[in-house]
């Protein structure tokens, strides 16, 4: 009998998962439809690009510079065990541009932006502001969701580009100032090994991550219920689900780019 | 489209059903509001008042039933057709539901700019005029809603509702949370503005003083059905035990409160 109960619990969890996935896919479909259909709220989209992009620069920049610096130190120490300490510049730039730049910037934005979107839209939901938008003949998907999706999708690649440059500079500073490497040689090694495909694959990842970050913020905020506690739960859910999806899609896209 | 005849009710609802999970909230609502008239729906908490108004506005999708505005079915409308119907209506929400990211005048002008495509400069003028009509001074136009008292926020909400000069006005608990003087002022503003616009009004409230003051007729909702409807003047001698218990605020009577839900 206990075995059947256990199976019933597994079944319920699985059905709840399918239901949530279905809701999310329908929400994403509706959001995509409103992305391409007028009217477009250009001013709000630009405002969101500033909020998401410009105001995230310090946190993304700090993350990138320390990651690049730590990477250089670790590769030097680890690489010295098999005489590969001379490859610090190459490993730093490829790691930052292909992997760490997009993923770390996206995870930082999941914490900063996805939570802010979920809290803002969630508060609007529980205070009936979204209902008020509708009664004023304004579609909340066009007014609230679409501008944030466009802004995050366009802005994160730009942020990642900045993070890549700052991350490489972090590696450069650690290598030249701490490890005593030659500055000119370091930069030459960096530029020699870097290929356009490394940059484009990283930026493509960033665009997808940006979309996921805004989607999770909007989805959980839009569906929040039950006052302050509901908004709090929506904020947490947005950050957690955005982070998990970033890591999942990072694997899927990396696998795709390799193949 | 031809203009609807004079005899066609402005709002007509029939057989409206709505269920949330196992809970049947609306179990066949039937009501009509004639053009230019004001109806108040009274009823206890959880009786289905808000769900009714949200279904009429299209904020909730009913499970079954018919909702007609000017004789046109609106229950299944979506997209532009629905937005055109919504442009006819204005709504004052219980908590005012002002956009906290905008200033007071931007809140009032929102419907004019978004739904009526009015240039912002002209919309600001219209917004200031609407604010004057609800007793708000121009000096608060550039303030944020959070800086205003509850009564002032209700006035801004009312100004936002009337600014586009809608044909229908919905009021969700317009006096809840206000002191008696401010509640009286809001009631008078509602009466004046509805009369001036010649609008049809639908108010949901459990404030009997407000219902008697603002409405031509009153309908009582209980367990998802309209159990009594008549002129506001008749509500005190309705002969309906449910209505009598409700308006006299008796704890004993046929109405059984769902304490767990309340």
């Amino acid at each position: 009998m206990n075995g059947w109960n256990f199976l019933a619990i597994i079944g319920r969890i699985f059905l709840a998962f399918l239901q949530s996935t279905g809701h999310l896919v329908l929400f994403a479909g509706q959001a995509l439809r409103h992305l391409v259909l007028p009217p477009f709220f250009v001013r709000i989209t630009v405002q969101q690009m500033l909020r998401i992009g410009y105001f995230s620069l310090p946190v993304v920049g700090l993350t990138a510079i320390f990651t690049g610096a730590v990477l250089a130190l670790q590769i030097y120490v680890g690489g010295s065990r098999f005489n590969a300490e001379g490859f610090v510049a190459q490993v730093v730039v490829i790691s930052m541009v292909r992997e760490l730049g997009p993923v770390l910037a996206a995870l930082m934005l999941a914490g900063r932006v996805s939570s802010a979107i979920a809290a803002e839209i969630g508060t609007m939901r529980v205070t009936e502001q979204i209902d008020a938008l509708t009664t004023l003949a304004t579609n909340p998907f066009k007014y609230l969701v679409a501008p944030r999706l466009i802004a995050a999708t366009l802005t994160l690649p730009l942020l990642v580009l900045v993070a890549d440059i700052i991350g490489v500079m972090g590696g450069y500073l650690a290598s030249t100032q701490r490890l005593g490497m030659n500055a000119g040689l370091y930069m030459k090694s960096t530029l020699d090994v870097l290929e356009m495909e490394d940059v484009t694959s990283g930026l493509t990842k960033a665009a997808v991550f940006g979309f996921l970050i805004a989607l999770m913020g909007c989805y959980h905020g839009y569906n929040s219920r039950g006052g302050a506690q509901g908004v709090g739960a929506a904020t947490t859910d947005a950050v957690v689900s955005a982070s998990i999806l970033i890591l999942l899609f990072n694997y899927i896209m990396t696998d795709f780019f390799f193949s | 489209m031809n203009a609807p005849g004079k005899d066609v009710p402005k709002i007509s609802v029939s057989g409206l059903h709505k269920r949330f999970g196992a809970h049947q909230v609306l179990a066949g609502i039937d009501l009509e509001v004639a053009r230019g008239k004001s109806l108040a729906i009274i009823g206890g908490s959880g009786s289905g008042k808000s769900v009714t108004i949200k279904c009429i506005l299209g904020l909730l999708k009913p499970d079954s039933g018919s909702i007609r505005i000017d004789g046109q079915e609106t229950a299944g409308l979506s997209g532009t057709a629905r937005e055109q119907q919504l442009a006819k209506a204005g709504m004052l929400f219980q908590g005012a539901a002002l956009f906290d990211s905008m200033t007071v005048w931007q809140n009032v002008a929102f419907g004019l700019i978004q739904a009526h495509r009015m240039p912002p400069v002209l919309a600001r003028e219209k917004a200031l005029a609407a604010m004057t009509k609800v007793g708000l001074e121009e000096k608060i136009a550039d303030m944020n809603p959070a800086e205003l008292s509850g009564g002032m926020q209700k006035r801004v909400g009312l100004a936002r509702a009337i600014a586009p000069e809608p044909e229908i006005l919905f009021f969700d608990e317009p006096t809840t949370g206000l002191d008696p003087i401010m509640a009286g002022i809001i009631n008078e503003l509602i009466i004046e503005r509805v009369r001036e616009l010649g609008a049809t009004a639908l108010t949901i409230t459990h404030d009997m003083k407000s219902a008697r003051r603002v409405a031509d007729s009153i309908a009582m909702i209980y367990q998802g059905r309209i159990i009594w409807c008549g002129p506001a003047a008749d509500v005190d001698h309705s002969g309906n035990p449910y209505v009598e218990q409700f308006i006299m605020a008796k704890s004993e009577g046929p109405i059984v409160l769902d304490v767990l839900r309340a």
Side-chain angles (χ1 to χ4, degrees):
Chain A
M1 193 65 189
N2 284 339
W4 288 114
N5 285 341
F6 179 71
L7 282 176
I9 291 166
I10 298 283
R12 271 199 291 274
I13 292 170
F14 185 65
L15 286 175
F17 171 74
L18 288 181
Q19 194 178 27
S20 304
T21 309
H23 280 153
L24 177 59
V25 170
L26 287 175
F27 185 91
Q30 206 175 347
L32 284 171
R33 197 165 66 86
H34 289 291
L35 276 184
V36 293
L37 293 175
F40 303 108
F41 292 92
V42 178
R43 195 175 58 84
I44 297 170
T45 307
V46 173
Q47 274 176 355
Q48 289 301 323
M49 286 179 82
L50 277 177
R51 282 177 67 181
I52 294 170
Y54 183 71
F55 293 113
S56 299
L57 270 173
V59 70
V60 169
L62 281 172
T63 308
I65 197 161
F66 289 121
T67 304
V70 167
L71 203 56
L73 296 178
Q74 290 284 19
I75 291 160
Y76 185 80
V77 174
S80 65
R81 292 176 193 165
F82 43 94
N83 299 323
E85 63 267 40
F87 293 104
V88 170
Q90 292 90 330
V91 178
V92 166
V93 70
I94 290 175
S95 307
M96 281 305 301
V97 171
R98 290 188 73 107
E99 198 61 46
L100 293 175
V103 172
L104 290 180
L107 288 175
M108 295 310 287
L109 249 71
R112 190 186 170 276
V113 173
S114 201
S115 58
I117 292 175
E120 186 180 10
I121 296 182
T123 306
M124 290 185 75
R125 165 62 74 197
V126 300
T127 56
E128 294 187 307
Q129 290 180 51
I130 292 181
D131 287 346
L133 270 181
T134 308
T135 61
L136 292 163
T138 303
N139 189 313
F141 269 84
K142 285 195 194 301
Y143 190 79
L144 294 175
V145 178
R148 283 162 177 78
L149 286 176
I150 294 170
T153 308
L154 294 180
T155 308
L156 193 53
L158 297 174
L159 272 175
V160 166
L161 202 57
V162 174
D164 290 348
I165 294 165
I166 294 175
V168 169
M169 288 313 295
Y172 168 87
L173 287 173
S175 301
T176 55
Q177 303 302 312
R178 184 78 177 84
L179 303 174
M181 289 185 181
N182 179 283
L185 199 61
Y186 187 95
M187 288 313 295
K188 186 177 182 308
S189 302
T190 297
L191 295 173
D192 282 350
V193 78
L194 188 65
E195 291 179 10
M196 185 52 87
E197 191 208 337
D198 300 327
V199 180
T200 53
S201 70
L203 298 186
T204 308
K205 280 182 179 181
V208 174
F209 295 160
F211 180 81
L212 292 172
I213 288 165
L215 181 69
M216 287 301 104
C218 292
Y219 173 74
H220 289 287
Y222 198 85
N223 292 298
S224 65
R225 295 282 182 276
Q229 197 178 15
V231 176
T235 308
T236 309
D237 291 346
V239 176
V240 172
S241 56
S243 303
I244 291 170
L245 283 176
I246 286 164
L247 297 173
L248 174 69
F249 274 75
N250 184 44
Y251 175 77
I252 293 169
M253 283 191 289
T254 305
D255 189 56
F256 173 76
F257 289 130
F258 269 114
S259 63
Chain B
M1 191 188 294
N2 294 331
K6 271 187 175 178
D7 298 335
V8 176
K10 191 72 182 174
I11 304 168
S12 172
V13 176
S14 63
L16 197 64
H17 286 76
K18 180 70 186 173
R19 172 190 287 274
F20 293 103
H23 184 51
Q24 185 80 47
V25 180
L26 302 183
I29 294 281
D30 299 298
L31 60 87
E32 280 188 358
V33 191
R35 195 174 304 277
K37 294 292 178 188
S38 177
L39 172 74
I41 302 176
I42 58 170
S45 301
S47 57
K49 304 188 298 291
S50 292
V51 175
T52 304
I53 210 168
K54 284 184 176 178
C55 285
I56 295 171
L57 274 163
L59 297 173
L60 288 174
K61 196 176 172 191
D63 297 333
S64 62
S66 165
I67 300 165
R68 288 176 180 273
I69 306 285
D70 288 327
Q72 190 196 344
E73 184 63 49
T74 64
L77 287 183
S78 61
T80 313
R82 186 172 153 226
E83 281 169 15
Q84 281 172 352
Q85 283 294 338
L86 283 167
K88 290 181 181 178
M91 167 99 177
L92 172 60
F93 287 84
Q94 184 174 351
L98 301 177
F99 305 125
D100 44 25
S101 59
M102 298 177 197
T103 61
V104 166
W105 84 262
Q106 286 170 334
N107 264 280
V108 178
F110 190 89
L112 299 170
I113 295 170
Q114 300 303 338
H116 298 268
R117 303 273 171 252
M118 194 176 280
V121 177
L122 189 58
R124 184 182 160 99
E125 276 178 33
K126 290 265 285 181
L128 292 177
M131 285 168 60
T132 307
K133 285 179 181 172
V134 298
L136 291 171
E137 294 179 38
E138 194 177 328
K139 67 181 180 189
I140 70 153
D142 293 312
M143 289 170 77
N144 284 319
E147 297 174 75
L148 306 177
S149 67
M152 296 270 267
Q153 289 187 8
K154 277 272 166 81
R155 288 187 196 219
V156 176
L158 181 57
R160 183 175 67 182
I162 64 168
E165 299 176 3
E167 297 170 25
I168 309 169
L169 277 161
F170 295 92
F171 301 102
D172 182 1
E173 306 281 6
T175 54
T176 298
L178 301 179
D179 65 72
I181 297 170
M182 184 55 78
I185 292 169
I186 293 291
N187 283 337
E188 293 311 312
L189 285 172
I190 287 172
I191 295 163
E192 286 168 19
R193 300 285 72 88
V194 169
R195 204 169 285 161
E196 183 186 74
L197 290 170
T200 306
L202 182 56
T203 306
I204 58 171
T205 184
H206 47 228
D207 176 357
M208 281 312 301
K209 201 173 172 185
S210 176
R212 286 189 186 95
R213 191 76 194 93
V214 303
D216 300 310
S217 51
I218 293 176
M220 173 143 174
I221 189 168
Y222 180 63
Q223 291 188 336
R225 285 192 181 86
I226 300 291
I227 55 162
W228 183 84
C229 187
D234 293 352
V235 74
D236 291 316
H237 40 89
S238 64
N240 184 307
Y242 292 88
V243 178
E244 282 171 8
Q245 184 191 353
F246 186 82
I247 64 172
M248 295 170 83
K250 290 181 189 168
S251 57
E252 300 290 321
I255 298 176
V256 181
L257 281 183
D258 188 347
V259 177
L260 284 175
R261 280 183 52 78

